[in-house]
Amino acid sequence: MNSSQITTAQRIKAIIGGSIGNLVEWYDWYAYAAFAIYFSNSFFPDSDLTAQLLNTAGIFAVGFLMRPVGGWLFGSIADKIGRKKAMTLSVLLMSFGSLLIAFTPTYKTIGVLAPALLLLARLLQGLSVGGEYGVSATYLSEMATEDRRGFYSSFQYVTLIGGQLIALGIQLILQKLLLTETQLEEWGWRIPFIIGAILSVIALYLRANLHETEAFENKKEVSEKKKGSIKELLKHPKALLTVIGLTLGGTLAFYTYTTYMQKFLVNTVHLTKEQSTLISFISLFIFACLQPVFGALSDKIGRRPLLLSFGILGTIFTYPLLNALSTTTSMWGAFSLIMAALIIVSGYTSINAVVKAELFPSEVRALGVGLPYALTVAIFGGTAEYIALWFKQEDMEHYFYWYITACIFFSLVVYSRMKDTKDNSTLDKD
């Protein structure tokens, strides 16, 4: 089906279908991070909270190591046989990982096999999420009209954050209305993983009814050897290095202020679990709403000004914001500081998907977007929690703030040297 045959309603349906699948994938991924404070004791019996969280964060990080494999596997599938099929397979794999976590017995019941099964589930989820990013970023960018690419593709992070919001929302309902803390620690933490598996069935239905993109259909005549191959991808070294450089600081900042922040508020700021969950929920909801605003802005003024603003403000304010946050005693003071940080990070999150998609030709686009991104996220995003907790344990937590600052500055150097992809987009050649 070509662009002249795709109506606005069909285009919106495609964007929603691709986005909702993305939401379910990331819900499953974040449910692990959100509920780790409750189930860490079930898999790693230890009296020290930081040690338990370190072990749980270690498995979270290992899950990230599978993401480059997922980026390669699903990126190749998307470039060879279609974006739609790759997205359907990725959501199936994620649901299996969620079910495995939901029904794994505790350490007391089956001993060392319990953390081993938890690790296996995270490896499967890492494979799935690693593939999801590149394929959905490519799909959303290709389905958008030329003048709305920033806006449409920003919904990837709306749904990515939305997945975390649903996980936190379920956590709030369980905390406030349904279960005691003891019940949550004993068995209640399993509920979100069962919900995740059910949501996957809905996403599977939506994705099965999506249109394939015109950009993919137009490259049917391209040699199969070229589509989705590493050899073909390596012909674009500048684009590959650009993806790594522009992702590095942004992904570290994003994971610090989202997945790790809830633990930071409990472990460092000494707020209650309920307070930290509420702050995370409200700040992430506003953060999600900001993504289309920034995305639409990039359609007007270009992608580069937003990336530069994130790089400059992130370099200047990361240390002061995190340092102030670590010493605050007010719940709403903490909220204000996190919100300021998330507004800065929006300059990266809202448009990073479309910027990467605009760098590669369609025959290697999903692979080009997914693989270098997944490698960078595995090294820097996936280890953010572990490094932060290690510095905390060594009583050198402020070193972590400087580490984030240095990574954002590195990305700023990349932003300052790259062309604005809005005006030099490979999507225009499809």
Side-chain angles (χ1 to χ4, degrees), residues 96-121:
F96 183 74
S98 287
L99 280 173
L100 192 56
I101 295 175
F103 294 109
T104 294
T106 63
Y107 187 92
K108 287 179 182 176
T109 309
I110 58 169
V112 74
L113 196 56
L117 284 171
L118 182 67
L119 176 61
L120 174 62

Side-chain angles (χ1 to χ4, degrees), residues 268-395:
T268 296
V269 187
H270 303 299
L271 298 178
T272 66
K273 289 175 184 176
E274 288 78 9
Q275 285 176 321
S276 67
T277 305
L278 184 61
I279 287 175
S280 296
F281 186 85
I282 297 170
S283 59
L284 285 170
F285 178 78
I286 298 170
F287 184 41
C289 293
L290 288 173
Q291 303 311 297
V293 177
F294 278 74
L297 182 63
S298 81
D299 288 326
K300 301 288 185 189
I301 66 170
R303 324 291 185 216
R304 196 164 171 267
L306 269 69
L307 291 172
L308 286 171
S309 66
F310 159 67
I312 293 166
L313 295 172
T315 301
I316 295 170
F317 290 110
T318 294
Y319 186 92
L321 282 169
L322 284 171
N323 193 50
L325 186 60
S326 69
T327 56
T328 189
T329 53
S330 159
M331 177 180 168
W332 295 110
F335 166 77
S336 301
L337 291 165
I338 292 167
M339 207 58 249
L342 288 174
I343 290 169
I344 293 170
V345 175
S346 291
Y348 163 79
T349 54
S350 59
I351 58 166
N352 80 94
V354 72
V355 169
K356 291 160 192 169
E358 287 173 328
L359 289 169
F360 296 95
S362 65
E363 59 266 26
V364 289
R365 184 171 292 136
L367 183 62
V369 173
L371 180 57
Y373 167 83
L375 278 166
T376 312
V377 171
I379 296 166
F380 295 95
T383 57
E385 262 190 43
Y386 196 89
I387 291 170
L389 287 165
W390 183 82
F391 277 128
K392 167 77 176 173
Q393 201 170 46
E394 296 297 313
D395 203 27

Side-chain angles (χ1 to χ4, degrees), residues 36-344:
I37 52 178
Y38 291 110
F39 69 71
S40 56
N41 187 49
S42 296
F43 293 97
F44 305 100
D46 194 302
S47 57
D48 180 14
L49 175 63
T50 302
Q52 285 176 356
L53 290 175
L54 262 173
N55 281 322
T56 318
I59 286 188
F60 188 78
V62 170
F64 274 83
L65 296 179
M66 288 301 286
R67 289 175 65 155
V69 182
W72 163 74
L73 178 64
F74 287 97
S76 295
I77 291 169
D79 288 329
K80 287 180 186 295
I81 65 172
R83 320 314 192 197
K84 176 183 162 180
K85 288 177 182 174
M87 290 196 298
T88 304
L89 287 170
S90 72
V91 86
L92 265 175
L93 193 61
M94 179 59 79
S95 64
F96 183 74
S98 287
L99 280 173
L100 192 56
I101 295 175
F103 294 109
T104 294
T106 63
Y107 187 92
K108 287 179 182 176
T109 309
I110 58 169
V112 74
L113 196 56
L117 284 171
L118 182 67
L119 176 61
L120 174 62
R122 291 306 288 170
L123 292 174
L124 291 174
Q125 290 189 323
L127 191 68
S128 173
V129 173
E132 174 65 25
Y133 176 88
V135 182
S136 63
T138 298
Y139 184 80
L140 291 170
S141 299
E142 289 180 349
M143 287 302 294
T145 51
E146 185 181 343
D147 59 337
R148 304 296 296 279
R149 284 181 191 140
F151 174 75
Y152 274 123
S153 63
S154 71
F155 281 89
Q156 185 183 38
Y157 263 77
V158 172
T159 52
L160 192 152
I161 300 158
Q164 190 171 2
L165 277 173
I166 294 172
L168 287 172
I170 288 169
Q171 189 173 32
L172 280 170
I173 291 166
L174 292 175
Q175 284 173 341
K176 302 282 188 186
L177 303 174
L178 300 178
L179 301 177
T180 64
E181 183 146 340
T182 303
Q183 287 173 324
L184 273 168
E185 287 176 355
E186 286 178 355
W187 56 268
W189 60 265
R190 297 181 186 275
I191 294 170
F193 297 105
I194 295 168
I195 292 170
I198 295 166
L199 287 172
S200 296
V201 176
I202 299 168
L204 194 61
Y205 170 77
L206 287 165
R207 287 194 159 174
N209 290 281
L210 290 178
H211 287 297
E212 188 51 84
T213 69
E214 181 191 355
F216 176 77
E217 296 288 0
N218 287 347
K219 291 298 173 87
K220 284 282 179 71
E221 75 284 353
V222 173
S223 166
E224 289 298 319
K225 289 181 181 178
K226 286 188 174 184
K227 289 197 284 189
S229 75
I230 296 290
K231 185 179 178 182
E232 192 67 22
L233 183 63
L234 291 175
K235 293 179 182 177
H236 306 277
K238 187 178 179 183
L240 281 168
L241 291 172
T242 301
V243 170
I244 292 168
L246 75 89
T247 302
L248 196 153
T251 192
L252 180 57
F254 174 75
Y255 279 98
T256 297
Y257 294 119
T258 57
T259 54
Y260 174 60
M261 192 45 58
Q262 201 183 1
K263 297 177 188 66
F264 183 82
L265 291 173
V266 172
N267 214 19
T268 296
V269 187
H270 303 299
L271 298 178
T272 66
K273 289 175 184 176
E274 288 78 9
Q275 285 176 321
S276 67
T277 305
L278 184 61
I279 287 175
S280 296
F281 186 85
I282 297 170
S283 59
L284 285 170
F285 178 78
I286 298 170
F287 184 41
C289 293
L290 288 173
Q291 303 311 297
V293 177
F294 278 74
L297 182 63
S298 81
D299 288 326
K300 301 288 185 189
I301 66 170
R303 324 291 185 216
R304 196 164 171 267
L306 269 69
L307 291 172
L308 286 171
S309 66
F310 159 67
I312 293 166
L313 295 172
T315 301
I316 295 170
F317 290 110
T318 294
Y319 186 92
L321 282 169
L322 284 171
N323 193 50
L325 186 60
S326 69
T327 56
T328 189
T329 53
S330 159
M331 177 180 168
W332 295 110
F335 166 77
S336 301
L337 291 165
I338 292 167
M339 207 58 249
L342 288 174
I343 290 169
I344 293 170

